[in-house]
Amino acid sequence: MSKVKKIMPWVPVWAIIVASILVSFEYGKVPPAAPSMIEVLGISYTTQGLLMTMFSIAAVVMGLIGGTMIDRLGARKVVSVALALTIVGNVVGLFWTSDAGLLVTRVLEGLGYGATMTAGPGVIAAWYEPKKRGLANGVWGANVGVGMMICTMSATPIMESSGWSGMWIFGLVGAILAFLLVAIFVCMPPEGERKDAMDLPPATDADKSHGVLWGYLAPLPVLAAVMFFLVGGATDAFNAFTITYLNLELGEAESMANMTATIASFGLLVGAVIMGFLFAKVRDKGMVLLVNIALCAIALFAWFNLDLSPEMMCVVGFFVGCFLGAAPTAFFAVAPMAARSPGTIGAATGMVVLGQNAGTLLIPTVVGMILDAAGYGAAAMFMGGISVAAALICIAFRALYKKHVAVTPEAQ
């Protein structure tokens, strides 16, 4: 019996999940460190924004090229190398503190993040059959949120004792632990025992004759990526501007606005876990996704038009968070199921991750421009409107997905 066969499925699955939470510290370390970096290093607000942008661009690129690399070389090799580069970038960034140095090292840090996020859904799908993925997919959908919460809660004592460099060391520790988890524990089951084959039509000899783009440009992953771009981007805008709306537009105290945002963030986590179980149990996954996107649209149309008591805004914020938090879990869960064949799962997931990161880069910026020009009512119309567009795309996705799984009874 091979070593792989002796491994319990939960070991590699939860290793990649915990690694994704740890590497997300690299994403979340900049906002709390920014005031110290501005004071000590003299960076500008523009550079602060670019520190996030360069990280996200690197994650997008890694999601694209990493998908095919994972399909060909395996998740452990690709993600381990990418996380090693993240560690190098983090260490160098502690000493190369010019604007150029910080931006270059942020690119290196983003590579490990992008590779981990691309590999995770495929590892989960390979080890767990569809009906047993609920908890794993639910926590995966909330991984960045959990990592951000840990990072934010840890920031105050770290910043008080060691400033921005303390947050960089905090991110470095997370990256090292993520690297060790992936290098030691993440692996794939033997080819004949992979559970992701239950989601997909059988591979054929003709599949191997296609070029690299064949896996990326499959209709279902492309549609899922566009939906994730729209709904995920609107969710990022909700997260980015909620505190400002509550504090400046509605006149709530800053502490109360922060509490409402925290409760909404908790709702994101609750929604993600619930969707994980729901998506694993319900046969018509396209309908589940459609209903969730419709609820997201209603919530986004309403949120920046509400003027309730602070207590009621907390309650509503929790449910809005639940709706918005469920969507990423569904998109990540469907990515392996939407691939053309078992050999293109990494490419399909890479396309979905591209949609997620592109939305993070672009949609909040557009919403910010709308806020400057026309206010929160117009921003709500835009955010709700693009979610309606995603719902219309989901109708086409559902029809195609039904045809896709018709030849794979286990996936239904």
Side-chain angles (χ1 to χ4, degrees):
M1 183 177 289
S2 69
K3 290 183 179 180
V4 173
K5 289 184 179 180
K6 295 179 181 177
I7 293 177
M8 297 297 291
W10 65 268
V11 174
V13 167
W14 287 96
I16 194 72
I17 290 173
V18 174
S20 73
I21 293 171
L22 291 167
V23 77
S24 69
F25 295 170
E26 298 286 7
Y27 179 80
K29 70 185 182 183
V30 171
S36 175
M37 297 178 78
I38 291 171
E39 180 180 354
V40 176
L41 303 179
I43 69 169
S44 64
Y45 289 113
T46 299
T47 299
Q48 178 189 342
L50 286 173
L51 290 176
M52 299 299 289
T53 300
M54 297 303 290
F55 183 92
S56 296
I57 290 174
V60 168
V61 173
M62 193 64 208
L64 280 175
I65 64 174
T68 296
M69 293 170 66
I70 288 167
D71 286 333
R72 296 182 177 182
L73 302 175
R76 173 187 282 172
K77 291 180 181 178
V78 175
V79 179
S80 295
V81 171
L83 286 171
L85 292 173
T86 293
I87 293 168
V88 171
N90 205 315
V91 172
V92 174
L94 283 166
F95 302 99
W96 190 11
T97 57
S98 66
D99 285 6
L102 290 170
L103 294 176
V104 168
T105 56
R106 285 295 284 169
V107 170
L108 293 176
E109 291 170 6
L111 296 177
Y113 176 85
T116 306
M117 297 303 167
T118 302
V123 173
I124 294 170
W127 281 102
Y128 286 155
E129 62 185 80
K131 292 182 180 180
K132 295 183 178 179
R133 296 174 191 162
L135 180 60
N137 277 333
V139 178
W140 181 265
N143 56 3
V144 177
V146 172
M148 292 288 286
M149 287 183 66
I150 294 172
C151 206
T152 302
M153 289 187 293
S154 304
T156 299
I158 291 173
M159 292 297 296
E160 288 177 352
S161 62
S162 52
W164 75 271
S165 61
M167 291 306 300
W168 249 243
I169 293 171
F170 182 75
L172 175 61
V173 171
I176 292 172
L177 292 175
F179 171 81
L180 293 174
L181 281 171
V182 171
I184 296 171
F185 297 112
V186 172
C187 60
M188 299 297 259
E191 196 64 32
E193 298 181 15
R194 290 181 59 145
K195 306 302 183 184
D196 48 12
M198 301 173 68
D199 298 323
L200 303 168
T204 65
D205 291 336
D207 293 346
K208 300 177 182 179
S209 65
H210 294 284
V212 172
L213 293 179
W214 186 68
Y216 287 107
L217 299 182
L220 286 171
V222 170
L223 291 177
V226 175
M227 290 187 289
F228 207 169
F229 169 79
L230 296 171
V231 178
T235 301
D236 287 326
F238 165 83
N239 291 329
F241 297 108
T242 283
I243 292 176
T244 307
Y245 174 68
L246 297 172
N247 182 224
L248 300 182
E249 191 76 6
L250 301 188
E252 291 187 9
E254 186 174 349
S255 59
M256 191 66 201
N258 285 330
M259 179 182 294
T260 302
T262 301
I263 291 172
S265 296
F266 180 68
L268 292 171
L269 307 184
V270 172
V273 174
I274 291 174
M275 176 58 85
F277 285 104
L278 187 64
F279 211 72
K281 299 298 183 183
V282 176
R283 178 170 295 183
D284 191 346
K285 302 185 189 307
M287 179 56 72
V288 173
L289 187 56
L290 178 59
V291 171
N292 176 237
I293 293 174
L295 291 172
C296 289
I298 294 169
L300 291 167
F301 274 127
W303 180 249
F304 286 148
N305 287 304
L306 294 178
D307 187 2
L308 306 174
S309 68
E311 294 76 16
M312 284 304 300
M313 291 299 288
C314 282
V315 174
V316 175
F318 172 78
F319 287 103
V320 171
C322 287
F323 299 149
L324 298 179
T329 295
F331 289 125
F332 282 126
V334 84
M337 304 177 188
R340 290 187 191 269
S341 69
T344 61
I345 288 175
T349 305
M351 177 56 69
V352 173
V353 171
L354 170 64
Q356 176 198 24
N357 286 307
T360 299
L361 280 170
L362 297 177
I363 300 297
T365 301
V366 173
V367 170
M369 295 169 64
I370 293 172
L371 287 173
D372 286 336
Y376 281 95
M381 289 298 294
F382 174 76
M383 293 161 65
I386 62 176
S387 298
V388 169
L392 295 175
I393 294 170
C394 191
I395 295 173
F397 177 91
R398 180 175 178 237
L400 287 175
Y401 186 74
K402 283 186 173 182
K403 295 179 181 179
H404 182 70
V405 300
V407 295
T408 314
E410 296 90 339
Q412 297 182 46

